[in-house]
Amino acid sequence: MITEQPHEPLQRGTFVAGWSLRRRWALAACLMVGFLCCGLGAVPVAAFLDHSDSQGDPPATAIAAVDIYLNQLILRERIGLTHALIRDERDDLIEQWEALIADMQRTDPPPDKLDWGPHFDVEDQGDGVARVTVPVSAVWWQERGMSMQGTEHPWVFVARAEDGGWRIAEVRPHPWCGGHVRADACR
């Protein structure tokens, strides 16, 4: 017959007190692996999913696709960008997007942000194609909370209906060096 023995409640710090050093290290290793798999491990998974073809629904409107493109441009972050780009032109559009970032970084000093909208001019081209024009300007923040805003210049985007939403098929930005900024401000 098994009888239940009363036990003392655990005292603070006694959870691993009787464990060997080897067993404590094993627990620490398991906790670190768990953290890496659940915490930092999510970053490579998110990057992998961003580069896959099944990226979820495309933006609902051509304006939303353009807004994603411009936001990711100033953030210099590709995660989330590719689902706003049409599949057939995705590699070329990403290459152009990276070249725009490189041009902005060559500016002395580089802009702190881009400013655009809320006035998007959307022109229906027919056959599931829309042309979106939006004025874009650069903003530089200076000391004491002051900022300098560049002149607005139109950027033109061609968006196509794809997978029940809209994706960008072409980007015609205003030139950066010699356009948004003086040519001599680019290194």
Side-chain angles (χ1 to χ4, degrees):
M1 171 181 223
I2 299 176
T3 60
E4 206 172 309
Q5 298 288 329
H7 55 69
E8 294 180 31
L10 287 177
Q11 301 280 324
R12 183 175 176 200
T14 60
F15 176 65
V16 294
W19 289 14
S20 68
L21 186 59
R22 184 177 190 171
R23 192 169 179 190
R24 288 181 196 181
W25 274 109
L27 174 63
C30 288
L31 290 173
M32 285 188 283
V33 168
F35 172 76
L36 289 173
C37 290
C38 296
L40 296 177
V43 173
V45 170
F48 171 76
L49 291 175
D50 184 56
H51 297 292
S52 67
D53 277 337
S54 59
Q55 297 173 47
D57 296 330
T61 66
I63 291 173
V66 169
D67 204 42
I68 289 170
Y69 183 93
L70 291 170
N71 272 310
Q72 298 310 101
L73 183 64
I74 197 59
L75 294 172
R76 295 185 292 274
E77 181 61 61
R78 282 179 55 173
I79 294 176
L81 170 69
T82 55
H83 87 278
L85 305 177
I86 200 159
R87 277 193 189 94
D88 295 343
E89 303 297 325
R90 192 168 287 157
D91 292 339
D92 292 336
L93 289 167
I94 289 173
E95 189 175 303
Q96 179 187 23
W97 178 82
E98 290 171 342
L100 284 167
I101 291 172
D103 279 349
M104 287 190 287
Q105 292 304 113
R106 290 184 325 142
T107 305
D108 186 24
D112 292 299
K113 73 174 218 155
L114 293 179
D115 197 21
W116 63 91
H119 305 293
F120 292 81
D121 181 27
V122 182
E123 184 181 324
D124 184 4
Q125 304 286 302
D127 292 329
V129 177
R131 180 178 171 207
V132 180
T133 304
V134 60
V136 176
S137 62
V139 177
W140 290 265
W141 291 318
Q142 298 173 351
E143 292 179 23
R144 295 185 223 132
M146 308 217 16
S147 68
M148 181 180 77
Q149 182 151 356
T151 305
E152 290 182 342
H153 296 284
W155 286 33
V156 178
F157 297 83
V158 176
R160 291 203 171 106
E162 184 178 79
D163 297 334
W166 289 87
R167 291 195 168 128
I168 296 171
E170 185 180 344
V171 179
R172 293 182 224 144
H174 189 77
W176 187 260
C177 296
H180 279 283
V181 296
R182 297 182 328 270
D184 65 344
C186 292
R187 303 177 232 157

